[in-house]
Amino acid sequence: MIPAIGGARLGWRDLPGEVQGAVAAILKSPVTEAVSQSGGFSPGTADRVTTAAGDRAFVKAVSPDQNPRSAELARQEAEICAALPASTNAPRLRGTFDDGHWVVLVFDDIDGRHPRTPWVKDELDAAVSAVTDLARSLTPSPFPRGRTAAETLATDFGGWSRVAADPPADLDPWLRPRLDDLVATAGRGLASLTGDTLVHLDIRPDNMLITAAGDVWFVDWPHACNGPDWLDLTLLAMNVEVHGGDGDAVRPAEGVDVVVGFVGYFLDQSRLPPPPGLPTVRAFQRAQGDALLPWMRRHLKG
C-alpha cells in the first residue's frame, strides 16, 4: 500500500495580504474563491482560484518558513516554466512574484484530473504517448543552461554507497552480499544519463492531469533537467510497477540501471527524519523502494 502523498499545506487564506495582492495584480482582478488541491509534497499553497472578473488560474506560493528547499524549488520552477515552448502540454506561466521571502507562481488552470492508480489501460496508453511526445517536443532542450540529469541525480544515485557504508538492520538479506554490485550498477545508470532533452524528472500521477478530451498535461516542473529522451518513460514505468502494474510493458530498454539507482535512493532516504512541512515523504520513499525491489531483482542476475 502506497501512503497518500501530502503534508501540512498552506491555503489561500494563510497568505499575507501583500502576496494575495500580488496575485490580484498578475490576474488583474482580486481572487474571490480559492480551492486548495490535495496531493504533492510542497507545504506551500496549491489553489485553484477564481477572480472577480471570472478568470480562473492555479496559484502556488511558498516561503522558507514552510520549507527552505521548497522556496528554492519554486524559483527553479518559475525559470524552467518560462522557457517551455507554448506547444508543451504544461500550464502556461502567467506571472510570478518574489519578494525575497515569498515565491508565487500563477499558472493557467487546467481542467483535468489525475490518472487513476492502479493504472488503467486507456489512461496508461495516453500517458505513454504523452510522455513520448513530450520528449520529442523538448529535444533539443529549450533550457540548455539547466542542470544535467547526471548532475541532478549524482547524490541520489549514491544511495547504495551510503547503505553499504551503514547497512540498516532490516536490510533485505538478498541485498547484503550484492551491495558492491549495486553501487557499480547505479554508477553505470548515472553515466547513462546523457542527452539534450529537457526531462520532467518527476513523472507521477499527481504531476499529470487528464482532460475530458483525453489529453495529458504535465505540472510541477522544478526538477526538470537535461538528459536522455527515455528517462521520463523510465520514471513512468517505475510508477506503474509501484502501483501493482507491469512496468516492463512501459520501461525502455535503457532504463534498468537507472531503476537500480532510484531504488537505492528511496531506501537510503527513507531512513532520514522527515524534512520540515513534509511529514509523509519518508514513508512514501520507503514504500516506493520496497515496491520496486522485487522488480529490480528480476532484472539482475543472481
Side-chain angles (χ1 to χ4, degrees), residues 168-189:
D170 63 348
L171 184 67
D172 187 307
W174 183 88
L175 293 173
R176 194 172 294 273
R178 295 171 172 82
L179 288 173
D180 288 344
D181 290 339
L182 293 170
V183 170
T185 302
R188 290 195 300 272

Side-chain angles (χ1 to χ4, degrees), residues 16 33 62 77 80 98 109 111 114 124 141 151 179 188 193 244 247 258 266 282 289 299:
E33 182 181 11
V62 70
E77 182 174 17
I80 291 163
D98 187 344
D109 183 37
D111 188 7
H114 299 305
L124 179 57
S141 171
E151 291 169 338
L179 288 173
R188 290 195 300 272
L193 298 178
V258 169
F266 290 138
R282 301 307 183 203
H299 288 284

Side-chain angles (χ1 to χ4, degrees), residues 217-267:
W217 290 71
F218 299 91
V219 302
D220 291 344
W221 287 79
H223 303 289
C225 56
N226 297 315
D229 59 5
W230 47 263
L231 182 52
D232 278 343
L233 199 57
T234 299
L235 290 164
L236 178 61
M238 288 167 52
N239 191 268
V240 171
E241 191 75 22
V242 162
H243 288 286
D246 180 11
D248 286 329
V250 177
R251 181 187 57 79
E254 301 92 335
V256 172
D257 291 348
V258 169
V259 170
V260 174
F262 275 111
V263 174
Y265 164 71
F266 290 138
L267 294 181

